[in-house]
Amino acid sequence: MEDKIHIYFMPGLAASSRIFEYIKVADDKFALHHLEWLEPESEKESLAHYAAKYVKMITHKRPVLIGVSFGGILVQEIGRLMEVRKIIIVSSVKNEDELPKRLKYLRKSRIYKLFPFKKLSKIDDFSKYNFHPQLKKKGELYNKYLSIRNEKYLNWAIHNMLNWKNNSIEQDLMHIHGTRDEIFPIKYVKDCIPVEGGTHAMIIVKAKKISAIIENLLPDDT
């Protein structure tokens, strides 16, 4: 696979790499690798220190890094520590200015510190508690894609997402964003490739469209 460009995918906050199961690009040009969230050493571990662990896990030179939501923030940090061909973020942000006012308020007030992640981490199957068919289906999707409920990780991730500082944007970074993103509304986002009707979950529900955009953005040199 030395003649292929290697792409490393990082999922969103609390999500597994299953969110990329419908992303398809040309097999003859690209080799895909899926990263998973690691448990932080402590809730005080810096994002830069955490990102350094992934540099050791990425075994190919000059890869393409693709991250969704908080995973988009992490791949930007990884890109500061190693040479990459390109960074592509999806449904994410490039700096704190792109956070909506409600998330800035949570950061300032620190209300998020009061969220009972410990209780959330003990719920092992959301679908079995839902008897309405539509709610049961949503529960099944939640279990499938948002499967990380470790209390230490959740506290660490929320804190680092809300308090991330970024004073420079990499020139080799591209941003794909949905026009109906409910977590990071597009009205706060600058310099992105808009996906009409795309929500924060568009990596799954608009996978065909996202795949086409990603492949168009990928370099064709090996």
Side-chain angles (χ1 to χ4, degrees):
M1 294 200 297
E2 292 303 320
D3 59 336
K4 295 184 179 182
I5 292 176
H6 293 269
I7 307 171
Y8 284 79
F9 290 87
M10 191 72 215
L13 193 153
S16 75
S17 63
R18 287 183 177 182
I19 67 170
F20 300 113
E21 64 180 332
Y22 301 118
I23 297 297
K24 308 295 182 185
V25 293
D27 292 338
D28 59 328
K29 294 181 180 179
F30 309 106
L32 310 186
H33 309 272
H34 295 142
L35 299 169
E36 303 287 357
W37 289 104
L38 304 172
E39 181 176 332
E41 294 176 7
S42 73
E43 293 181 15
K44 295 183 178 180
E45 182 176 9
S46 71
L47 191 57
H49 187 273
Y50 186 85
K53 299 174 183 178
Y54 287 89
V55 175
K56 297 177 181 178
M57 297 169 60
I58 297 173
T59 58
H60 301 94
K61 294 181 178 179
R62 299 185 64 238
V64 172
L65 304 180
I66 299 179
V68 173
S69 192
F70 182 49
I73 290 175
L74 180 61
V75 296
Q76 290 176 71
E77 290 295 317
I78 295 172
R80 299 183 192 281
L81 303 175
M82 65 182 298
E83 184 181 3
V84 299
R85 278 187 170 86
K86 188 181 289 292
I87 297 173
I88 300 174
I89 63 173
V90 182
S91 307
S92 188
V93 294
K94 298 182 287 297
N95 52 57
E96 62 180 315
D97 292 337
E98 294 185 339
L99 292 175
K101 293 180 180 178
R102 65 178 179 274
L103 293 185
K104 290 180 179 178
Y105 172 76
L106 287 177
R107 178 183 62 194
K108 185 176 181 180
S109 67
R110 299 176 69 85
I111 291 177
Y112 66 92
K113 292 285 188 179
L114 302 177
F115 191 86
F117 289 118
K118 187 174 184 177
K119 292 183 179 180
L120 180 64
S121 67
K122 292 181 178 179
I123 300 177
D124 59 357
D125 188 350
F126 287 85
S127 61
K128 68 183 180 183
Y129 299 106
N130 295 319
F131 300 101
H132 189 282
Q134 187 174 2
L135 292 177
K136 183 176 180 62
K137 179 63 176 179
K138 288 184 177 180
E140 291 172 349
L141 292 175
Y142 187 96
N143 285 322
K144 180 178 181 180
Y145 297 117
L146 299 177
S147 57
I148 303 175
R149 300 177 195 132
N150 178 281
E151 180 188 3
K152 183 194 295 184
Y153 164 79
L154 291 172
N155 282 323
W156 172 87
I158 293 293
H159 173 79
N160 278 279
M161 183 186 75
L162 293 177
N163 292 279
W164 182 56
K165 305 291 184 180
N166 184 28
N167 297 320
S168 63
I169 298 175
E170 302 297 326
Q171 292 185 349
D172 57 357
L173 184 145
M174 301 299 295
H175 188 169
I176 305 171
H177 210 84
T179 60
R180 295 179 59 191
D181 193 303
E182 63 279 15
I183 304 298
F184 302 128
I186 197 170
K187 67 180 181 179
Y188 298 107
V189 174
K190 298 179 180 179
D191 301 322
C192 71
I193 299 171
V195 176
E196 191 63 37
T199 66
H200 201 65
M202 68 179 183
I203 195 70
I204 300 168
V205 299
K206 288 187 176 291
K208 187 175 181 179
K209 175 69 173 178
I210 302 300
S211 295
I213 296 173
I214 288 175
E215 188 155 359
N216 186 57
L217 292 175
L218 291 174
D220 54 13
D221 63 306
T222 56

